[in-house]
Amino acid sequence: MSEHRRKPPQPQGGGRAAARRGQSASSGRRAAPRGATGSPSDSHGGGGEDRPYTGRAEARRAAQKNGGGRRRAAEAAGRGRGPGRGRGVPPGKKRFIDYPRAGKDGVGRWLPSWKLVTGLFVGFIGSLVAVAGIGYAMVSVPDINKTATAQNNVFYWSDGSQMVSTGGEINRQNVNISQIPKAMRYAVISQENKTFETDSGIDPKGIARAFFNMAKGGQTQGGSTITQQYVKNAMLNDQSQTISRKFKEIFVAIKVGAKVPKDKIMAGYLNSAYYGRGAYGIQAAAHAYFGKEADDLNEGECAFLAAMLKGAVYFDPAGATSADPAATPEANQRRALRQMQDTLDKMVEYGHLDTQTRQKYTTLPKTENPRSNGRLSGQVGYLVDLAKWYLIRNTNITDVDLRRGGYSIYTTFDKKKVNALEAAVKKVQKANIKPKERPDKDTHVQFGAASVDTQTGAIKAIYGGEDATKHFTNNADQTNVQVGSTFKPFVLAAAMKWGVRNPDLGAEQTLDQRTIVSPKSLFSGQNKFKVKEYNGAIWRNEKGEEWSQTNDGNESYGTPPDYQIDIREAMRQSVNSAFVQLAMDVGLDKVKEAALEAGLKEGQLTGTSYPSFAIGTSDPSAIRMAGAYATFATSGKQNEPYSVEKVTSKDGTVFTHEAKPKQAFTSLVADNVTDVLKTVVEKGTGSNAQLPGREVAGKTGTTDGNKSAWFVGYTPQLSTAVSMFRMDDKAKADSRKFLKMFGTGGQAKIHGASFPSEIWHDYMAEAMRNMPVKAFPTPQPIGEVVNARPTPTPTPTPTPTEETSPTPTPTESESPTNSPSPTDSCGYFDWKCGNDNGGPGGNNGPGGNGPGGPGGGPGGTGEETPPLPTDTADQGNPRGKGNGPGGIFAGSNG
């Protein structure tokens, strides 16, 4: 150190020792006893002076060292490392929430302290209590009687004229608790909310489930107490599925549970609940279902009405197929009975009903006609239902919205076409169906029909039944009437789109390994033809049994000895064996795919793994069949059938239909299918459907046992399907079935070429009256001739000489034919004469003595009456009185 360095000023008043004592005193600490500091100087001896340093140089170095430590401590505090300070917090100032935690490093900085956790929890609970208190104070107990108002919905025809105004009338009449049977109250309590009489009015688990569903984007469904249902009915004008609305409902339910007596809640709920059939409240429901007063209901009827609260669409015994194809009368009756029995069992379990009384009610009670609104009579009720359920299933408009009303609904229905279709059906009924003369043949005869615009899919007309207020199942939308041979065009479309498989390769083959089929391709038209796999092996069912396909009337078609017939001719004469084998060669999976792409629905296709699938075991509705055939009319462009163009309300346009066509088949495929189906109408089984001056394509269909008959046909502008069947709608669910139509209408047998094609013709002649004449596109050649016969070696023709006269060329009338020859009394396609009772049976087949395959009806010995040559192409093979089970291919689907 330089000796010229300036010395620091010396402390005053006692020297260095005094300074050290002053510092010690100012810091509030006593000087450590000698030997206790741990400094190196502790080893030195000394007499009486507390001096930690041995010299001034050492003291200076210590001072410098201490000063650096203080600076580093200050910097650390500035960075939030000092006690009680965070990063960037000025020294001496503490944060309100110490997070991240000061004075901690690593993970410790991010672990909240117990004080912070406790504080936040207390704050959260306090906030909830405050919100709940405010919410509870803001809501009021609703007046359930204010929900008994609604506006009309106005339905319009396609031309803009008004069809009907309906929906605004609320079928409701309040009754007091003394007029509601105790059985009704306890039926609802037992099924809906067994703790109703003691609970606070809310179901925490149900609320949590509702919020969870909303979080996933679903509906706030299930779990509500009777009190909450009462509140929901009272808040009918606000049915939005939102968190805020659910919170409001909860607060109202809490207040109602605290302030409203249980009897009043129960009466309010039962007086405001919707039971279906337009009935609000127990009194209206008692009249709608049983035609009696509410206080006259017995225990079984009360349990039944409790089931209706689950959703009448799926429990009303009358069915609601327009709402959902699964809501058939049969299915609804099964569900309603099961639910009713469950309710009665629970009433016994909870002590609300004695066992002896419960045993009285094991079947569904008899219910009234579901319609009473005279404005919905005739076809209008079917049309309104069809439009209403189309909206519910395809838009954001709900059933509750429609019940509140206020909508203007513009339908696709053409009033003139609807009237023309109804008139065509009534003409046939009046002239031919005489239940008084033939009670065992002509009772329970029903028709269904639908007509669709081929270019758009708009449903222009339907025939749902004789009267919507008397016959309440919409036959145009019925989905359990088998379609028979009207399914064959989908087999042909599949063969032209994908082709038949190569028999030398595996079942799964690419398109380039297959052979696209020409209409000139040949297949066997032999009766009792053994069905084969695509590779030539005999097809066997799951029991290992082989099967033979029967043609209509046990007739073989085609050229002997192998009876080969080309596809066009097989379609014209509706030859089952040819189309069954064609479907097997293409693959039943491809046939199914073609049907779906044309517009049929998965749930309407049945028996898809059996060869009989090709000849119409499926049961699509008339609307779907008309729409699917329209796909061929538009060169392969598929449009979904629809019934509503737009909907408006006071808020403006609510819904507008948007066309979404898709190309199901190429024009090459679709136009060739149409060309083949034209042959059916021009000179085949569908000749009754001819419209002079217009091109028509179509197909007849008759099912096994003569239980249904169809004609589906189209022009370039309009596609129409007509079905006919017998079924007693008023029979009990377990005995309701399709009845045979042998002898119906005075005919030996009903088939597609008879009454259905007559109705189709009369309707289409009127419906097409003012429409321009259009032609179908000319098809381009398609595919290869499959199974073509080898060209025979020509035989040399002798040179004529004077002694040899040339053989005259036979005239057209002299040309040989393999079809049955018409008699003087019956033309070949004269469906109004003849008696086709089927031919003698063969072993292991329909009418045979052996066991049949799965899925068929009873087999039989057959009746020995030989078939007459009357429309043999489209007549089924009625089975005789059987000795064994029939098979899945039994009878004709022609």
Side-chain angles (χ1 to χ4, degrees):
M1 179 181 289
S2 172
E3 60 183 359
H4 298 288
R5 181 173 178 176
R6 185 178 178 181
K7 296 179 180 179
Q10 299 295 318
Q12 302 295 318
R16 287 193 295 271
R20 285 195 300 272
R21 289 192 294 272
Q23 290 174 354
S24 177
S26 66
S27 65
R29 295 182 299 175
R30 289 185 61 184
R34 192 173 183 83
T37 64
S39 69
S41 60
D42 288 346
S43 61
H44 294 189
E49 184 177 351
D50 186 8
R51 181 171 177 163
Y53 306 113
T54 57
R56 283 180 286 183
E58 185 180 351
R60 281 196 301 272
R61 286 193 296 272
Q64 291 171 354
K65 182 177 180 181
N66 291 339
R70 284 192 296 272
R71 283 193 302 272
R72 286 192 296 272
E75 291 171 359
R79 292 193 300 267
R81 297 183 184 230
R85 296 173 185 164
R87 295 190 180 202
V89 179
K93 184 175 182 180
K94 293 184 177 181
R95 294 179 298 170
F96 180 72
I97 298 177
D98 183 20
Y99 193 81
R101 297 176 68 184
K104 301 288 185 181
D105 290 314
V107 178
R109 294 188 67 235
W110 304 102
L111 292 176
S113 67
W114 68 269
K115 292 182 179 180
L116 179 60
V117 172
T118 303
L120 290 175
F121 178 75
V122 171
F124 176 72
I125 296 299
S127 299
L128 286 182
V129 171
V131 169
I134 294 171
Y136 185 86
M138 291 180 65
V139 300
S140 58
V141 174
D143 184 356
I144 198 73
N145 294 318
K146 291 182 179 179
T147 64
T149 60
Q151 303 175 63
N152 278 325
N153 293 314
V154 183
F155 292 80
Y156 295 91
W157 295 104
S158 58
D159 63 1
S161 61
Q162 183 172 318
M163 180 195 305
V164 66
S165 177
T166 185
E169 65 281 356
I170 292 293
N171 181 18
R172 174 175 161 187
Q173 179 182 353
N174 287 350
V175 291
N176 58 45
I177 193 68
S178 64
Q179 295 172 286
I180 301 175
K182 285 186 177 181
M184 186 65 207
R185 294 178 244 169
Y186 285 118
V188 174
I189 288 173
S190 299
Q191 191 60 255
E192 303 271 347
N193 180 194
K194 65 180 180 180
T195 62
F196 167 73
E197 295 177 315
T198 57
D199 64 31
S200 62
I202 62 171
D203 175 15
K205 290 183 180 179
I207 293 169
R209 184 165 55 250
F211 282 125
F212 179 71
N213 288 334
M214 282 192 292
K216 294 192 303 181
Q219 297 290 310
T220 58
Q221 58 187 349
S224 295
T225 64
I226 290 175
T227 303
Q228 286 176 272
Q229 291 293 334
Y230 166 87
V231 169
K232 186 175 181 179
N233 293 342
M235 297 169 64
L236 188 62
N237 291 327
D238 180 12
Q239 292 293 310
S240 58
Q241 300 290 335
T242 61
I243 295 288
S244 60
R245 188 253 175 204
K246 198 65 182 177
F247 267 121
K248 183 178 180 181
E249 183 183 303
I250 292 169
F251 290 135
V252 173
I254 293 171
K255 181 167 278 191
V256 168
K259 297 197 172 205
V260 180
K262 292 289 185 178
D263 277 357
K264 188 173 181 181
I265 293 173
M266 175 61 75
Y269 172 58
L270 294 177
N271 277 323
S272 62
Y274 184 64
Y275 297 79
R277 299 191 177 187
Y280 290 83
I282 184 63
Q283 179 76 346
H287 280 282
Y289 287 95
F290 304 115
K292 60 172 65 174
E293 300 292 308
D295 56 3
D296 292 330
L297 295 171
N298 61 40
E299 289 83 353
E301 291 165 343
C302 289
F304 170 88
L305 290 178
M308 295 305 104
L309 295 174
K310 294 286 186 181
V313 166
Y314 298 102
F315 291 94
D316 188 339
T321 52
S322 294
D324 189 330
T328 62
E330 293 79 9
N332 279 17
Q333 288 174 29
R334 288 193 298 269
R335 281 188 285 260
L337 180 60
R338 185 168 55 246
Q339 185 72 12
M340 171 186 164
Q341 297 303 304
D342 182 64
T343 299
L344 290 168
D345 289 341
K346 287 180 177 177
M347 291 173 71
V348 173
E349 179 183 352
Y350 301 143
H352 304 312
L353 184 67
D354 62 86
T355 304
Q356 186 177 1
T357 303
R358 187 260 176 274
Q359 293 304 319
K360 296 179 182 179
Y361 308 107
T362 57
T363 60
L364 283 176
K366 184 178 179 180
T367 56
E368 297 285 317
N369 185 319
R371 297 183 188 273
S372 58
N373 188 339
R375 288 176 290 176
L376 299 177
S377 62
Q379 299 305 303
V380 173
Y382 302 124
L383 298 172
V384 167
D385 279 354
L386 198 61
K388 180 177 71 174
W389 291 113
Y390 174 82
L391 291 175
I392 293 172
R393 295 166 65 184
N394 295 279
T395 74
N396 293 326
I397 299 172
T398 67
D399 184 29
V400 173
D401 294 332
L402 288 173
R403 280 188 268 136
R404 285 205 306 269
Y407 293 106
S408 294
I409 300 168
Y410 296 85
T411 73
T412 61
F413 307 131
D414 185 311
K415 185 177 183 179
K416 292 181 179 179
K417 288 181 172 60
V418 170
N419 291 339
L421 187 53
E422 184 176 29
V425 173
K426 287 185 174 180
K427 177 183 175 182
V428 166
Q429 284 179 317
K430 184 177 180 180
N432 302 281
I433 310 303
K434 304 181 184 300
K436 292 182 179 179
E437 295 180 13
R438 294 180 291 268
D440 59 333
K441 305 293 184 183
D442 285 13
T443 54
H444 313 306
V445 174
Q446 299 185 36
F447 296 91
S451 190
V452 172
D453 186 312
T454 59
Q455 303 302 313
T456 64
I459 302 171
K460 308 307 292 183
I462 64 168
Y463 180 83
E466 61 174 316
D467 191 322
T469 62
K470 298 176 182 178
H471 171 78
F472 40 80
T473 300
N474 186 346
N475 291 344
D477 204 30
Q478 188 80 14
T479 57
N480 59 354
V481 181
Q482 290 187 347
V483 295
S485 282
T486 57
F487 196 81
K488 289 174 182 173
F490 305 123
V491 178
L492 179 58
M496 290 180 170
K497 179 172 182 176
W498 288 286
V500 296
R501 291 171 287 185
N502 186 330
D504 298 325
L505 301 177
E508 297 298 326
Q509 299 180 21
T510 59
L511 191 61
D512 60 348
Q513 294 172 318
R514 293 168 169 259
T515 302
I516 301 301
V517 174
S518 162
K520 297 179 182 179
S521 297
L522 300 173
F523 287 84
S524 177
Q526 186 175 11
N527 185 49
K528 297 190 182 301
F529 173 77
K530 284 190 177 181
V531 179
K532 299 180 178 67
E533 301 282 2
Y534 78 96
N535 58 9
I538 300 296
W539 181 88
R540 297 178 185 274
N541 63 23
E542 61 270 19
K543 296 180 180 179
E545 301 166 333
E546 54 186 58
W547 195 253
S548 299
Q549 177 58 53
T550 303
N551 286 329
D552 171 63
N554 283 318
E555 290 290 337
S556 292
Y557 299 86
T559 305
D562 53 3
Y563 292 97
Q564 283 191 316
I565 184 172
D566 70 43
I567 291 177
R568 184 184 297 273
E569 186 67 7
M571 186 74 80
R572 183 179 80 84
Q573 300 199 61
S574 200
V575 181
N576 290 337
S577 57
F579 277 94
V580 166
Q581 191 56 56
L582 176 60
M584 296 299 290
D585 290 352
V586 174
L588 296 176
D589 59 331
K590 295 302 183 186
V591 174
K592 175 183 176 180
E593 189 171 341
L596 293 174
E597 289 184 342
L600 302 188
K601 293 299 181 183
E602 180 92 29
Q604 301 171 341
L605 303 180
T606 58
T608 57
S609 61
Y610 293 101
S612 58
F613 175 59
I615 51 177
T617 57
S618 297
D619 52 11
S621 66
I623 291 173
R624 281 289 161 188
M625 287 298 288
Y629 270 49
T631 302
F632 301 129
T634 55
S635 296
K637 187 179 296 183
Q638 192 266 333
N639 292 282
E640 278 294 294
Y642 70 101
S643 56
V644 178
E645 291 286 1
K646 69 173 182 177
V647 179
T648 62
S649 70
K650 61 181 179 59
D651 299 320
T653 301
V654 178
F655 164 76
T656 301
H657 171 75
E658 294 182 10
K660 296 179 181 178
K662 64 179 183 180
Q663 197 71 32
F665 308 107
T666 64
S667 59
L668 183 63
V669 170
D671 293 344
N672 271 280
V673 172
T674 293
D675 191 58
V676 172
L677 294 181
K678 282 173 60 181
T679 306
V680 176
V681 176
E682 290 169 357
K683 49 186 176 182
T685 58
S687 58
N688 284 326
Q690 293 176 4
L691 299 174
R694 292 185 184 274
E695 291 191 349
V696 175
K699 185 69 186 76
T700 53
T702 305
T703 58
D704 179 40
N706 202 207
K707 293 178 181 177
S708 64
W710 288 74
F711 184 79
V712 187
Y714 54 96
T715 65
Q717 300 104 312
L718 206 60
S719 177
T720 302
V722 180
S723 68
M724 178 180 177
F725 56 96
R726 289 180 67 208
M727 185 172 68
D728 183 4
D729 282 339
K730 296 180 175 60
K732 293 182 179 180
D734 56 357
S735 61
R736 186 174 297 175
K737 59 185 179 181
F738 289 101
L739 306 173
K740 295 180 179 180
M741 293 190 291
F742 298 113
T744 297
Q747 304 301 311
K749 178 180 181 179
I750 300 298
H751 40 85
S754 56
F755 299 136
S757 66
E758 184 177 349
I759 292 170
W760 189 96
H761 171 272
D762 291 350
Y763 161 69
M764 289 290 281
E766 182 64 29
M768 300 290 298
R769 184 181 297 278
N770 297 318
M771 299 179 74
V773 175
K774 292 185 178 181
F776 292 116
T778 301
Q780 299 299 312
I782 188 173
E784 300 178 24
V785 179
V786 177
N787 302 325
R789 294 189 185 93
T791 304
T793 303
T795 302
T797 303
T799 304
T801 62
E802 293 181 2
E803 293 80 13
T804 306
S805 299
T807 302
T809 304
T811 63
E812 183 178 350
S813 62
E814 296 171 334
S815 300
T817 175
N818 293 297
S819 302
S821 301
T823 64
D824 293 338
S825 59
C826 288
Y828 185 83
F829 295 112
D830 187 357
W831 54 269
K832 292 187 177 181
C833 67
N835 176 28
D836 181 22
N837 289 319
N843 289 331
N844 212 32
N849 294 319
T861 57
E863 301 197 18
E864 296 297 330
T865 306
L868 293 182
T870 57
D871 191 21
T872 56
D874 195 58
Q875 296 186 20
N877 177 35
R879 282 170 278 178
K881 302 177 177 76
N883 294 330
I888 54 174
F889 308 126
S892 171
N893 289 276

